[in-house]
Amino acid sequence: MANLGWLASLAAAAVVVVALGSPFAAAQLRPGYYASTCPNLETIVRNSVRQSMAQSQISAAATLRLFFHDCAVRGCDASIMIVNSNGDDEWGSPDDQSLKPQGFQTVLDAKAAVDKDPQCRYKVSCADILALAARESVVQSGGPYYQVELGRYDGKVSTKSSVVLPHVDFNLDKLNAFFSGLGLSQTDMIALSGN
Ligand code: HEM
């Protein structure tokens, strides 16, 4: 569980989450993925996240947590942002009910800002925008900068039943098992938890 110490360990934490990528994406992630299609991407997302943070003090923390909840289920594919017509959405699962709307709003606003740029319109995956918005949330909160590799594909599957997230009553064995299932070590878990 992240407490106020989350900022101190965000560099390690975010790098680990970013490294998770998506097991379902075929693309090779790289920093310059949008260099020709959307050269101002990182500036656009940075400015948008700054605006979100000016509107709500909790938007940065909410966005980082949203990124963790997305990455832990089917990889970092923005599946948590999907709204299905049948109402069976990942974000609707009981484990996601304490996610704050400000995190979703931060990502939606960043996506709107990206798509407003004629060069970038509809060329950047929501998964990459979420990853960049999480990084900017860290940096704009006073945390360290880290490079985000890009080129994630957006997921198409989002179901409540696919959500498996750690609970507050998990003991160490259960926490270790959960993070191990994501390919992460106990050291990674401690860094991510920010305690
Ligand atoms: C280790 C297992 C984890 C558990 C059991 C856990 C659980 C929780 C719980 C219960 C809350 C409070 C939600 C509420 O407001 O009611 C919370 C908040 C938060 N968590 Fe975690 N968490 C875990 C790991 C992580 C990780 C890995 C990250 C990100 C790297 C993260 C980021 C956050 C943030 C930023 C908040 C505060 C923002 C908010 O409440 O919207 N957590 N977590």
Side-chain angles (χ1 to χ4, degrees):
M1 180 183 321
N3 59 15
L4 287 180
W6 65 274
L7 194 52
S9 61
L10 280 180
V15 168
V16 171
V17 174
V18 171
L20 275 173
S22 168
F24 303 97
Q28 180 67 46
L29 304 186
R30 57 190 164 92
Y33 188 80
Y34 298 103
S36 58
T37 47
C38 183
N40 295 325
L41 174 62
E42 303 207 8
T43 308
I44 295 169
V45 174
R46 181 173 310 125
N47 290 338
S48 181
V49 168
R50 277 186 183 151
Q51 281 179 22
S52 296
M53 289 175 68
Q55 281 161 20
S56 167
Q57 279 189 333
I58 65 163
S59 72
T63 304
L64 178 69
R65 188 173 184 225
L66 180 67
F67 188 43
F68 168 54
H69 281 223
D70 179 48
C71 293
V73 179
R74 306 184 67 88
C76 308
D77 65 348
S79 52
I80 199 147
M81 305 292 298
I82 293 175
V83 178
N84 287 317
S85 54
N86 63 6
D88 184 15
D89 309 294
E90 188 176 317
W91 59 264
S93 87
D95 287 349
D96 284 325
Q97 293 316 293
S98 62
L99 287 172
K100 308 285 188 303
Q102 287 88 343
F104 291 95
Q105 197 58 54
T106 297
V107 179
L108 291 173
D109 287 351
K111 175 160 172 50
V114 170
D115 289 339
K116 207 172 154 193
D117 183 305
Q119 230 182 322
C120 303
R121 186 165 302 151
Y122 308 142
K123 290 186 184 142
V124 183
S125 71
C126 196
D128 280 338
I129 293 172
L130 175 52
L132 285 171
R135 192 271 304 278
E136 289 308 327
S137 296
V138 171
V139 174
Q140 301 304 322
S141 299
Y145 178 90
Y146 57 91
Q147 191 171 62
V148 175
E149 300 198 325
L150 300 166
R152 292 166 189 74
Y153 295 156
D154 285 342
K156 294 193 173 119
V157 178
S158 173
T159 60
K160 289 187 181 74
S161 60
S162 63
V163 177
V164 180
L165 285 162
H167 292 176
V168 284
D169 62 351
F170 271 25
N171 62 22
L172 187 59
D173 286 343
K174 280 188 174 176
L175 285 171
N176 282 338
F178 175 81
F179 282 90
S180 168
L182 298 176
L184 298 173
S185 67
Q186 190 180 63
T187 305
D188 295 331
M189 176 182 78
I190 291 164
L192 280 163
S193 300
N195 289 306

